[in-house]
């Protein structure tokens, strides 16, 4: 029966050929003739026996349809009536069949279908052909029975859709039909009755939802015309019918997918009033093709859109309706901004702004949590713009409904909890979502405003504490936390940023942002959660935990400042710390003076007053120590290029430095309290000012910034105890005051003077007046130790021409001592040469110059002097002499070449020294000596390595340590062999292989390490030794008990494969399979994780080699051969 009904519908929609050819006068006449012919042919078909059942069902539907008029003279309406009757017949037939299908009992157990069989289809499922026929009938109904009767401006006119629509629009003039409103109601009611069946509603609303909505809007909300202008038939559309249409409209808009509803309502709202009509050839329905809608319809659509927006998930529906189908182009970004402005604007239909924003703002925040890439990108843009606009335009609602919920998890972390609160106030998902939302709004949105900066500043301590926690663990929150902190520091005012840095460093009070009884712990998904802190009963452990936590926060803060490469904030923070240090030093001096003038009488004070007095002093001292700690960490962790980027910052630094130097000047001298660190720092600072002034092209702004140096320079020139400092300060003051018009001759010399390590250490120094109480902690204690000048070998009349034997150096220490600077104690520093002096400043005493500080050339002192000083009991002197001898050997000095035996013995002796500065210098010297004279020196070193130290003065108890040091020398020598490794390395390989059987595990591991370094440089020379080497390594891997030795053996294989690379298959062809099996055995059986890791790395190297061997790289090259 369903097929028969669709056959009848097919007769209506397919033109009869003869009837169309009979009327060819015009398109409209042809269409009318086709409609009449198809209707007549349908009635004929229904009279046949095949159409009896369809005719019966049609008659039943006709009997129920009071709107049907059989004697109408309007061809189009008659055709529409026949379509509507057949559609009603189809809908009722399908409803009956579906009801019977649902009432059919389940099949018996014996007739159960197999899982492979498909379930039975319900009777309302339509085939593809039937769906096409239904779509054609619906299009005829809408085009001929609905759209022509819509008022002008209601819906999209047929003329704007297609050429056929324009022709139909000219054929049917709904405004001229007396019963147009009634016909529109009839068509709409029938279509709504069809929509009650899901199989018929889908094709109807997929194509014609906008037309049905427009019809319901007109029927239910179009204002009534005056009685004189309306016909009798139009008056019959009563209040109940209009009310029914309104209810149907609300029901329809509630059932359909909301983004589609919003799209259709936007189309119904029409284009701008001045929109020009578009030609009939345009088939688009964009906004530019829409005509102006009547005022009542615009108001109605606006009200309906507002209702859609304020319902649950209404914001998401609006955003999807406008942005779906976009590809992220520029137009989509503009749409996002437009949607954001729509969401922020409170509609007139809302009860109150508060209720609107209370309902909409949570939905705006939900837009930030979508996972789909393109959707999330667009939704995030809308949410970001909406939040920013709302915070700026509606600050009271933005704070209450946007910022407070958004930052709630971070704020709850800082709220002190009391009784009754849960153990975990903030879960991991809350904290992760909060940080991600803050990152999207603040960093990605990148629209800094005062409200956003202020809101972020409140949770910044918590965010920084979370950042410090993520730096200790692997967490996905580390990057967003860092970006948020950097964004704030980069966009806030400098004064505000400095204040925040002080708080985060612990100088501004409340350094910790998290509640005291809670702390962050790792989450299960790589985030963090807030958990109760375990109570530490031991006071020492609690104090250690507190101090280590503060130190870690400072290190994280410095790492954060190091990321601000293009900002002046690190330098400004550093200068503020220095200025505070200067102020604190001045206050200390004043307090001491007051205490000296009027001593505090403790006996006259009560216990409470004494306690308050002591607590006040302790608090001040604690703040001062915190300042020194922050300053030390900043100086250690940030390079000077970041701290002092601009001339003004350098000048500020110098002002702070000179002001601290001026503290205490002019007071009574206190013998024995001089501090060489203060004096040397002042000298370097004055030299820095001189360097600035001697530089080219100083601008007027630079000189203007340097005017702040005049007061401290004047005080130094008048009250400093050293005449040289006074003279230099006076000269610099004159240069600054004259803006460079006056430049003394010693200005450049003063700049060089600041770079000399021993510039402030002289014999004629005037003692300083008073020692400053507190100074920033030095890196090592040797900075505060100085020694006076002593005559050297060049100045002693009866100095011996030949140095004593090196073996006697330990028994007879050299009483002749030379001055060493603070730089001499660092590796690589050079010893001062007191014979080279240079008057830099008038009136200044002669000082020593440190060769190597600026001149990397060979030392100019005698070889014998360096040999003597290499036996000096002072560690710095001995180490500098050893490095000087190393340089002489490397440069091929004739005396060093002739005395190579003495130098060798000297280096071997110093290998046994306890100080690392000395024995590392000796190791470096022996490596250079072996590189210069390999044939002879390597044999001697091999003997020392195999049999232990052979010198008479050697300490047999520490022979193992000495052998390991010789092994380090041999490893460095192996690295320096280069292409000579195949020739010089044969004896070394034998010694190292023999050392793998040593009783001590450390020696065995050292031999294997040296063996790996050497073998990766032998290339093809390793071929004859491959079997022996493979057997040794395989045996060690499988039989060695010590994990350290097994690690070294596996590491040798990795180095071997890495060094040979593509030559592996040629050199190790006989043993490659054996090595592979050994590595696989380690991966499967070894219990040591480090050994397994080394084996996996070696297997990766082998995998790369074999892949390149099996699949060589394809090279596109062309060879040109010149024939003779």
């Amino acid at each position: 029966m369903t097929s028969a009904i669709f056959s009848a519908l097919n007769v209506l929609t397919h033109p009869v050929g003869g009837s169309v050819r009979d009327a060819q006068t015009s398109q409209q006449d042809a269409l009318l003739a086709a409609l009449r012919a198809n209707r007549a042919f349908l009635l004929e078909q229904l009279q046949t026996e095949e159409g009896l059942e369809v005719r019966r069902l049609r008659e039943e539907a006709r009997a129920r349809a009071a709107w049907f008029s059989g004697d109408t003279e309007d061809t189009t309406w008659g055709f529409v009536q026949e379509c509507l009757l057949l559609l009603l017949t189809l809908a009722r037939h399908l409803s009956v069949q579906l009801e019977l299908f649902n009432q059919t009992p389940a099949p018996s157990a014996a007739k159960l279908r197999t899982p492979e069989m498909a379930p039975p289809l319900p009777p309302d499922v339509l085939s593809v052909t039937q769906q096409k026929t239904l779509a054609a009938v619906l299009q005829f109904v809408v085009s001929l029975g609905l759209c022509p009767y819509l008022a002008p401006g209601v819906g999209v006119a047929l003329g704007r859709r297609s050429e056929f629509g324009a022709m139909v629009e000219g054929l049917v003039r709904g405004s001229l039909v007396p019963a147009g409103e009634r016909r529109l109601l009839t068509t709409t009611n029938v279509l709504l009755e069809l929509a009650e069946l899901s199989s018929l509603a889908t094709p109807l609303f997929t194509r014609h939802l906008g037309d049905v909505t427009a019809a319901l809007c007109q029927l239910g909300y179009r204002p009534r015309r005056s009685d004189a202008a309306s016909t009798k038939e139009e008056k019959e559309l009563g209040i109940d019918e209009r009310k029914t249409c309104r209810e149907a409209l609300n029901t329809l808009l509630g059932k359909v997918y909301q983004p589609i509803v919003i799209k259709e309502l936007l189309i119904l709202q029409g284009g701008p009033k001045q929109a020009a009509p578009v030609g009939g050839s345009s088939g688009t329905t964009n906004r530019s093709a829409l005509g102006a809608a009547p005022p009542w319809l615009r108001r109605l659509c606006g009200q309906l859109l507002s209702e859609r927006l304020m319902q649950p998930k209404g914001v998401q529906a609006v955003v999807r309706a406008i942005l779906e189908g976009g590809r992220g182009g520029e137009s989509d970004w503009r749409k996002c901004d437009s949607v954001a402005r729509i969401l922020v604007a409170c509609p007139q239909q809302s009860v109150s702004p508060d209720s609107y924003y209370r309902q909409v703002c949570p939905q705006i925040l939900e837009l930030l949590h979508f996972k789909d890439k393109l959707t999330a990108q667009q939704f995030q843009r809308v949410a970001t713009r909406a939040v920013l606009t709302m915070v700026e335009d509606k600050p009271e609602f933005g704070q209450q409904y946007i910022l407070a919920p958004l930052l709630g998890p971070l704020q709850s972390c800082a709220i002190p909890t009391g009784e009754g609160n849960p153990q975990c106030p903030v879960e991991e998902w809350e904290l992760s979502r909060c940080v991600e939302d803050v990152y999207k709004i603040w960093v990605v949105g990148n629209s800094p405003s005062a409200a956003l900066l202020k809101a972020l500043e409140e949770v910044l301590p918590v965010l920084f504490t979370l950042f410090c926690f993520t730096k200790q663990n692997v967490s996905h929150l580390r990057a967003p936390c860092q970006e948020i902190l950097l964004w704030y520091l980069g966009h806030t005012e400098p004064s505000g940023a400095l204040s925040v840095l002080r708080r985060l460093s612990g100088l501004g009070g409340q350094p910790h942002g998290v509640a005291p009884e809670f702390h962050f712990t790792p989450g299960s998904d790589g985030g963090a959660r807030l958990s109760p802190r375990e109570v530490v009963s031991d006071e020492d452990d609690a104090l250690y935990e507190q101090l280590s936590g503060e130190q870690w926060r400072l290190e994280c803060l410095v790492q954060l400042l190091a990321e601000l490469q293009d900002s002046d904030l690190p330098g400004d923070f550093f200068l503020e710390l220095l200025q505070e240090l200067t102020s604190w030093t001045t206050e200390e001096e004043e307090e001491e003076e007051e205490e000296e003038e009027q001593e505090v009488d403790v006996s006259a004070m009560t216990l409470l007053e004494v306690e308050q007095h002591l607590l006040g002093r302790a608090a001040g001292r604690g703040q001062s120590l915190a300042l020194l700690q922050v300053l030390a960490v900043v100086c250690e962790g940030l390079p000077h290029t970041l701290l002092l980027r601009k001339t003004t910052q350098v000048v500020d630094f110098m002002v702070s430095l000179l002001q601290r130097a001026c503290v205490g000047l002019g007071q009574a001298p206190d013998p024995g309290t001089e501090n060489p660190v203060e004096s040397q720092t002042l000298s370097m600072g004055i030299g820095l000012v001189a360097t600035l002034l001697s530089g080219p092209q100083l601008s007027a702004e630079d000189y203007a910034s340097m005017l702040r140096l005049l007061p401290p320079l004047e005080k130094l020139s008048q009250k400093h105890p050293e005449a040289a400092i006074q003279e230099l300060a006076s000269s610099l003051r004159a240069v600054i005051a004259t803006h460079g018009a006056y430049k003394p001759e010693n200005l450049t010399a003063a700049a060089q003077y600041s770079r000399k390590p021993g510039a402030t250490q002289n014999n004629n120094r005037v003692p300083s007046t008073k020692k400053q109480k507190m100074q920033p902690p030095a890196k090592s204690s040797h900075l505060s130790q100085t020694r006076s000048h002593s005559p050297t070998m060049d100045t002693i009349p009866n100095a011996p021409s030949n140095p004593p034997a090196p073996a006697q150096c330990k028994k007879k220490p050299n009483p002749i001592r030379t001055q060493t600077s603070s730089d001499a104690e660092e590796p690589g520093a050079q010893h001062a040469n007191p014979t080279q002096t240079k008057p830099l400043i008038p009136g200044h005493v002669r000082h020593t110059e440190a060769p190597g500080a600026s001149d990397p050339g060979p030392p100019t002192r005698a070889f014998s002097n360096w040999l003597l000083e290499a036996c000096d009991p002072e560690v710095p002197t001995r180490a500098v002499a050893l490095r000087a001898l190393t340089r002489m050997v490397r440069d091929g000095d004739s005396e060093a070449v002739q005395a190579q035996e003495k130098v060798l013995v000297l280096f071997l002796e110093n290998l046994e020294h306890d100080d690392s500065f000395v024995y590392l210098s000796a190791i470096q010297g022996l490596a250079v000596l072996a590189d210069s004279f390999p044939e002879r020196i390597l044999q001697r070193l091999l003997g020392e390595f195999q049999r232990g130290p052979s010198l008479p003065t050697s300490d047999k108890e520490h022979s193992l340590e000495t052998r390991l040091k010789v092994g380090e020398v041999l490893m460095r020598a192996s690295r320096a062999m280069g292409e000579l490794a195949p020739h010089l390395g044969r004896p070394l390989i034998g010694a190292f292989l023999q050392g793998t059987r040593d009783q001590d595990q450390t020696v065995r591991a050292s031999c294997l390490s040296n063996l790996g370094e050497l073998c990766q440089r032998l290339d093809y020379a390793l071929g004859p030794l491959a079997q022996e080497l493979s057997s040794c390594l395989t045996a060690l891997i499988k039989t060695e008990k010590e994990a350290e030795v097994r690690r070294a053996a596996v590491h040798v294989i990795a180095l071997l494969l890495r060094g040979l690379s593509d030559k592996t298959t040629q050199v190790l062809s006989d043993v490659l399979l054996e090595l592979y099996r050994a590595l696989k055995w380690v991966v499967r059986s070894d219990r040591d994780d480090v050994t397994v890791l080394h084996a996996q790395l070696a297997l990766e190297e082998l995998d790369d080699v074999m892949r390149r061997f099996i699949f060589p790289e394809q090279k596109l090259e062309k060879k040109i051969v010149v024939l003779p």
Side-chain angles (χ1 to χ4, degrees), residues 280-457:
S281 61
S282 172
T284 61
T285 59
N286 53 24
R287 195 170 181 82
S288 62
L290 299 178
W296 65 268
L297 183 58
R298 298 177 67 89
R299 290 193 298 270
L300 175 62
C301 292
Q303 180 180 355
L304 295 175
L305 287 172
S306 300
E307 293 176 359
R308 307 275 83 72
L309 175 62
M310 289 185 290
Q311 66 185 2
K313 296 186 179 181
V315 172
Q316 182 185 146
V318 172
V319 177
R320 287 187 181 276
I322 299 177
L323 299 182
E324 270 187 347
R327 299 182 179 180
E330 181 180 357
S331 60
D332 291 335
W333 293 121
R334 292 179 180 177
K335 288 181 180 178
C336 293
D337 295 342
S338 302
V339 175
R341 289 194 296 269
I342 293 173
L343 296 178
V344 173
C346 179
Q348 297 178 355
Q349 293 81 8
S350 177
V351 177
S352 65
D354 184 79
S355 63
Y356 172 75
Y357 291 119
R358 184 172 61 252
Q359 194 170 6
V360 169
C361 289
Q363 299 185 42
I364 294 177
L365 294 180
E366 283 297 323
L367 297 178
L368 297 170
H369 306 143
F370 283 85
K371 302 301 181 183
D372 181 67
K373 187 175 182 181
L374 181 59
T375 304
Q377 202 173 24
Q378 294 176 337
F379 282 20
Q380 177 182 327
R381 173 73 176 182
V382 173
T384 302
R385 294 307 307 170
V387 170
L388 297 176
T389 306
M390 189 167 180
V391 170
E392 293 178 2
D393 298 345
K394 311 285 184 180
E396 63 280 0
F397 296 114
Q399 177 65 35
Q400 182 178 0
Y401 297 118
I402 292 290
L403 296 181
L406 184 65
L407 302 175
L410 290 176
Q411 290 174 344
S412 61
C413 292
I415 298 176
T417 57
E419 297 182 359
N421 288 330
Q423 283 188 338
C424 302
V426 182
E427 295 294 337
E428 179 185 3
W429 68 269
E430 292 182 275
L431 203 56
S432 300
R433 173 175 287 190
C434 177
V435 173
E436 292 173 359
D437 291 349
V438 171
Y439 175 79
K440 293 173 183 177
I441 297 297
W442 272 265
V443 181
V444 179
N446 197 23
S447 296
S449 62
L452 287 178
L453 292 173
K454 181 180 179 181
L456 184 60
E457 183 179 355

Side-chain angles (χ1 to χ4, degrees), residues 3 47 242 333 354 396 448 583 606 618 646 655 691 764 892 1017:
S3 300
Q47 299 300 325
R242 294 169 64 88
W333 293 121
D354 184 79
E396 63 280 0
S583 303
T606 63
K646 301 187 301 184
V655 170
T691 303
N764 297 335
R1017 291 170 172 80

Side-chain angles (χ1 to χ4, degrees), residues 92 134 594 636 830 835 996 1069:
R92 291 167 183 171
L134 179 62
E594 293 179 359
E636 184 178 356
Q830 304 300 329
T835 61
T996 57
S1069 58

Side-chain angles (χ1 to χ4, degrees), residues 776-787:
K779 290 185 179 179
S780 57
S781 60
H782 71 269
L783 291 175
S784 59
Q785 300 175 356
T786 58
R787 297 191 303 170

